[in-house]
Amino acid sequence: MFFKNIWDIVISDNYMSVIREPKIAVKELEDQIEKLTYSGESKPKDFKVEHTKFPPFIQVFYYLFFASLKIPSENDFIESYINSFGKIENNHFIFKGEVFDLGGLKNRILRTYPSLIRDLHFVYLLIESAKFDKVTYSMRTDYMDGLDIKISYLNVDYFISLFINTSRAQFYKREKENRHDYAGIKQVEFSVDRFSLKKCGKILLLTESHIDSLVLTLKTL
């Protein structure tokens, strides 16, 4: 048994990767989620913060989860991000020599928090359903290529683009499509209504019924 369930450390050419046992049950994830606090609702936006391209929030979120197989609290998420990419001076965030409103940055990070949790939970929900040949999530592919979760169903690969059926989510989905070329990729736009989600603590999550709906969609393709 390797330290902290690490399966392997691979050094190849110009990269090093660490592979660890990802085993965690959906029920265990939901138990974690139910205990989380969330204070990001109806927070104001800061114009400068909203229009600055910061390093990806997703990277810190998944690094923290990878390290412990525990979903980070909102405070740990924010603190780790700030410590990783900048510093605080006089209640402002300093990034690459520029000064940003700290509250505005925290509010922007918090707006991503529920969707990151929901996507992570959905990955494990897909895996645990055992209805797919393979389920793969790549943080880099998600961020760099705009492709969410990859599944194999009846030996055919699909990328599942999950989003909540709101005008805001649809806008950002169209923006993503304008930035990326999806030619030759089997992409399934999996839109779910907000009222169909279940509330787990403060976070809305997908359920087994959404998995069934996805399978029905795949059968029509």
Side-chain angles (χ1 to χ4, degrees):
M1 177 66 69
F2 288 129
F3 180 63
K4 290 188 176 179
N5 293 324
I6 292 175
W7 281 2
D8 201 1
I9 295 176
V10 179
I11 301 173
S12 176
D13 297 329
N14 295 321
Y15 73 88
M16 175 187 289
S17 62
V18 180
I19 303 171
R20 68 162 299 166
E21 183 180 14
K23 189 175 182 180
I24 183 171
V26 169
K27 177 64 168 60
E28 185 179 346
L29 269 183
E30 292 180 356
D31 287 344
Q32 292 181 24
I33 293 168
E34 193 168 18
K35 297 172 184 175
L36 294 173
T37 59
Y38 179 61
S39 61
E41 296 175 349
S42 304
K43 296 287 188 178
K45 296 181 181 180
D46 178 88
F47 183 85
K48 184 177 180 181
V49 167
E50 296 299 318
H51 292 83
T52 297
K53 187 173 182 179
F54 292 109
F57 304 137
I58 193 173
Q59 186 178 37
V60 172
F61 178 86
Y62 275 96
Y63 175 80
L64 292 172
F65 178 73
F66 174 84
S68 62
L69 287 186
K70 291 184 178 179
I71 297 172
S73 69
E74 61 176 41
N75 289 334
D76 287 343
F77 183 27
I78 291 170
E79 184 178 334
S80 295
Y81 186 86
I82 289 172
N83 291 338
S84 296
F85 298 111
K87 60 182 179 179
I88 297 176
E89 288 184 3
N90 299 321
N91 207 34
H92 288 83
F93 177 62
I94 312 300
F95 172 66
K96 291 186 176 180
E98 284 198 68
V99 180
F100 297 89
D101 179 73
L102 180 60
L105 176 67
K106 288 181 177 180
N107 293 344
R108 183 174 167 185
I109 294 173
L110 283 173
R111 279 195 297 277
T112 72
Y113 188 57
S115 61
L116 291 173
I117 295 171
R118 185 162 41 249
D119 289 353
L120 173 64
H121 173 268
F122 187 49
V123 170
Y124 278 91
L125 199 63
L126 289 166
I127 294 170
E128 198 167 285
S129 75
K131 293 183 177 181
F132 308 96
D133 305 322
K134 190 173 184 181
V135 178
T136 306
Y137 174 78
S138 165
M139 179 193 72
R140 181 177 178 84
T141 300
D142 185 356
Y143 182 75
M144 299 297 292
D145 301 325
L147 295 168
D148 296 348
I149 304 164
K150 182 180 180 181
I151 64 170
S152 178
Y153 182 71
L154 299 180
N155 297 315
V156 179
D157 291 338
Y158 302 91
F159 280 96
I160 308 304
S161 180
L162 171 66
F163 60 97
I164 308 302
N165 189 18
T166 63
S167 57
R168 182 174 180 269
Q170 290 173 359
F171 170 78
Y172 284 112
K173 172 60 181 169
R174 299 287 84 82
E175 287 283 296
K176 183 187 287 187
E177 289 182 341
N178 291 334
R179 292 196 303 269
H180 302 286
D181 181 10
Y182 295 135
I185 295 172
K186 292 182 182 296
Q187 183 189 190
V188 178
E189 291 191 6
F190 191 50
S191 171
V192 298
D193 292 323
R194 191 178 183 87
F195 68 81
S196 72
L197 301 173
K198 73 172 184 180
K199 195 163 188 180
C200 184
K202 298 287 187 178
I203 308 297
L204 294 173
L205 302 176
L206 280 83
T207 68
E208 290 82 0
S209 64
H210 294 103
I211 302 292
D212 294 337
S213 176
L214 176 59
V215 170
L216 288 175
T217 298
L218 295 175
K219 286 180 176 179
T220 66
L221 301 178

